[in-house]
Amino acid sequence: MAQEQINKAGLIIIGGSSGSLEVLMKVLPALKKDFAIPLIIIMHRNTVADSALTELFASRTSLNVKEADEKDALQAGYIYIAPPDYHLLTEADRTLSLDVSERVHYCRPSIDVSFMSAAVAYKNELVAILLSGANADGAAGIKTIKEAGGYTIVQEPGEAGVSYMPEQALLTNAVDRVMKGDELAEWLNNLK
Amino acid sequence: MVEAEAIELLLHKVVSRYGYDFSDYARASLHRRIDLFYTKTKQPSFTLMQERLMQDPVFFMNFVEQITVNVTEMFRDAGFYKMLREHVLPVLATYPFIRIWHAGCSTGEEVFSLAILLKEANLLHKSILYATDINQAVLAKAKTGIFHVATMRQNSENYIRSGGKEDFSVYYHANHNNAKFDSALSEKMIFSTHNLVADASFNEFQLILCRNVLIYFNRELQGKVLQLFDRSLDSLGFLALGSKESLKFSPIAGYYKQVVYNEKVWRKNK
């Protein structure tokens, strides 16, 4: 366990693309009821206006799940889902904001955009997790987070539904830890 | 990444030199865009870029264009346009003359979308569409009524989902990469620069659309802009916002009623 490297986690941010839904459907229900760190999830979607993801996650956890709105203050006990067709950014005052600028890696929401702004806002209090996917989105964000003092985790490519996304992140040499999907919930539950 | 302090200093200089005030813009997006501009224009250093911005108004206008978001598409959020057809245009039809303000219209795709709606409701002849933006460059593009032909398939799909019944290609002529829209649509449009941060109300409207602009502002500026819209709306006028924007928490919320649950159009009632 490397939790000792993390002084105090202020925000968890998780990015994923194809193959990551299965992982999250296992991780979220296993988070403890009083999980006290706000959590942001950036998922690539196939359909542009699909808000069903929020409802799906909400049905699997006792934590509050909400589609992120601009100016939302990040709160413990909440899971924020990036809305379809918007980039989700974190402000220095630890509120959220939205942006409809150009797609990044053909994606909006883009994991890189969210990771990079959270890195600036949370610095060494940020924990980022990059899951399965067939896209290079997230790798640059992992690098930025590491440079800003945050802690970075990727799903073990060998067990990821699609290994490309975690592999791209590993190429940056900015990953603190490689974990199996099944290990994530317990690790998160032990975070301070 | 450029340090936040350097960016704030630049923004401060921009206000004094040009009067464009970005101080009430949400920071994360703005900083990212300035960072991208700095990288894209390959300036030798941030300080030198700042000097050039102060000395070169053309370079500065390019900066304004790049740091504000100008991504748009026709019939963006098709359900929104369907709702306009079904719930707003029938009310506007009862007016002898319809004045519409499209604030933050960018390159004009949504203005042309609305003109098509008005034409199909047989209202375009008695309508006038004021389309404004902070950027001259995007307005110049909007005025041409020319969009890239590659976007037409998506536009056509959006149009059909918005309740459109025509073959979408009746509205434009394709030529190489360009799709030029029928000038009958643009005849009723007036394009002009307008800065929501600094400029005043300039008419009274039955419908104001401002979609995906307020998300870039802090709460205070959002309130100020909504008050500007409130002053610019007819007593029973409609106000339309983007799919993640709301009147909630705004100083004008009490005088407005949402027209359809979950759709981002409110009607003034005072």
Side-chain angles (χ1 to χ4, degrees):
Chain A
M1 287 288 151
Q3 272 96 344
E4 60 274 14
Q5 278 181 243
I6 304 158
N7 191 19
K8 180 193 171 294
L11 177 68
I12 318 282
I13 189 161
I14 302 178
S17 192
S18 60
S20 64
L21 185 62
E22 298 88 307
V23 182
L24 287 167
M25 293 301 270
K26 281 189 202 157
V27 171
L28 299 186
L31 290 178
K32 58 187 181 187
K33 279 198 180 69
D34 58 349
F35 189 73
I37 307 163
L39 202 153
I40 293 174
I41 297 175
I42 319 296
M43 282 271 286
H44 292 162
R45 293 166 165 82
N46 295 327
T47 48
V48 175
D50 181 15
S51 290
L53 202 57
T54 304
E55 286 150 37
L56 181 65
F57 288 149
S59 69
R60 301 299 171 97
T61 168
S62 56
L63 296 166
N64 300 295
V65 181
K66 90 178 287 275
E67 187 177 282
D69 279 304
E70 55 119 19
K71 311 278 188 284
D72 274 349
L74 287 160
Q75 292 181 62
Y78 277 81
I79 298 173
Y80 302 86
I81 313 296
D85 212 22
Y86 286 85
H87 294 306
L88 177 65
L89 298 99
T90 306
E91 298 287 335
D93 67 359
R94 302 187 169 186
T95 60
L96 295 172
S97 58
L98 300 170
D99 171 317
V100 281
S101 59
E102 296 78 1
R103 288 161 187 271
V104 175
H105 295 290
Y106 310 102
C107 294
R108 194 172 51 220
S110 143
I111 299 166
D112 274 343
V113 171
S114 293
F115 275 15
M116 287 175 180
S117 75
V120 175
Y122 278 84
K123 302 185 179 72
N124 63 352
E125 288 181 47
L126 182 64
V127 175
I129 303 172
L130 189 66
L131 301 173
S132 166
N135 184 304
D137 195 18
I142 286 279
K143 190 159 182 285
T144 306
I145 288 169
K146 182 71 189 160
E147 285 165 3
Y151 193 81
T152 56
I153 299 167
V154 299
Q155 186 181 1
E156 193 180 298
E159 68 130 36
V162 185
S163 61
Y164 189 77
M165 192 180 259
E167 279 167 0
Q168 290 302 112
L170 284 165
L171 288 176
T172 64
N173 288 321
V175 176
D176 289 305
R177 205 181 150 107
V178 179
M179 286 174 81
K180 288 193 161 58
D182 286 345
E183 300 169 327
L184 280 168
E186 197 197 336
W187 190 87
L188 288 169
N189 282 332
N190 286 324
L191 270 179
K192 295 261 162 21
Chain B
M1 253 191 277
V2 180
E3 289 300 315
E5 291 76 17
I7 292 178
E8 294 304 318
L9 189 66
L10 167 64
L11 292 176
H12 194 73
K13 292 193 166 183
V14 163
V15 190
S16 7
R17 169 75 174 85
Y18 294 102
Y20 281 84
D21 187 357
F22 293 100
S23 59
D24 287 323
Y25 276 56
R27 279 303 183 264
S29 173
L30 183 67
H31 282 194
R32 173 170 175 265
R33 311 248 355 136
I34 293 174
D35 230 14
L36 287 173
F37 176 84
Y38 173 51
T39 312
K40 223 163 112 181
T41 55
K42 298 191 168 68
Q43 296 301 299
S45 74
F46 196 76
T47 312
L48 287 171
M49 179 184 87
Q50 181 169 299
E51 278 172 22
R52 189 170 163 206
L53 281 170
M54 291 305 113
Q55 286 154 12
D56 180 348
V58 175
F59 187 60
F60 174 73
M61 285 320 293
N62 185 238
F63 173 79
V64 173
E65 190 189 340
Q66 297 293 323
I67 68 168
T68 52
V69 173
N70 291 300
V71 176
T72 177
E73 63 185 73
M74 297 192 91
F75 298 95
R76 186 192 172 100
D77 310 322
F80 166 81
Y81 282 92
K82 192 160 194 287
M83 184 269 310
L84 284 186
R85 282 186 201 270
E86 291 168 359
H87 297 277
V88 176
L89 297 196
V91 180
L92 295 183
T94 64
Y95 289 87
F97 192 69
I98 306 164
R99 278 186 305 271
I100 296 169
W101 178 16
H102 210 127
C105 69
S106 186
T107 41
E109 280 84 339
E110 293 206 61
V111 189
F112 279 83
S113 309
L114 189 59
I116 289 170
L117 251 58
L118 290 164
K119 187 168 167 45
E120 294 186 354
N122 198 24
L123 297 175
L124 188 59
H125 66 280
K126 63 169 181 175
S127 303
I128 187 149
L129 293 99
Y130 291 84
T132 65
D133 200 277
I134 187 175
N135 286 315
Q136 289 157 357
V138 295
L139 288 170
K141 185 163 190 302
K143 256 182 231 179
T144 64
I146 297 171
F147 304 108
H148 203 283
V149 82
T151 63
M152 288 305 135
R153 213 182 97 186
Q154 180 68 52
N155 292 340
S156 173
E157 283 171 18
N158 289 357
Y159 164 76
I160 290 162
R161 283 193 292 126
S162 82
K165 302 267 190 296
E166 303 292 326
D167 178 344
F168 191 60
S169 64
V170 302
Y171 291 113
Y172 62 87
H173 295 281
N175 187 359
H176 301 293
N177 289 329
N178 293 332
K180 179 160 179 26
F181 277 72
D182 193 345
S183 59
L185 296 171
S186 47
E187 255 168 28
K188 296 300 192 142
M189 298 174 189
I190 296 172
F191 292 95
S192 164
T193 54
H194 183 280
N195 183 351
L196 289 169
V197 177
D199 294 337
S201 174
F202 57 95
N203 210 327
E204 201 167 86
F205 302 94
Q206 280 78 45
L207 168 63
I208 297 177
L209 303 100
C210 184
R211 310 217 314 130
N212 294 313
V213 176
L214 295 179
I215 51 172
Y216 301 111
F217 298 163
N218 68 18
R219 187 81 82 203
E220 194 189 342
L221 180 56
Q222 288 176 347
K224 271 167 61 183
V225 172
L226 287 170
Q227 283 172 318
L228 167 68
F229 293 154
D230 184 48
R231 285 195 298 278
S232 312
L233 264 183
D234 196 309
S235 57
L236 289 168
F238 294 93
L239 176 59
L241 303 177
S243 64
K244 293 297 281 179
E245 293 165 331
S246 168
L247 288 189
K248 207 163 68 176
F249 309 120
S250 84
I252 68 166
Y255 312 110
Y256 286 77
K257 241 186 105 174
Q258 203 157 8
V259 175
V260 180
Y261 172 74
N262 251 344
E263 290 288 354
K264 300 295 186 171
V265 177
W266 287 260
R267 190 167 192 197
K268 188 171 172 178
N269 191 1
K270 76 169 177 189

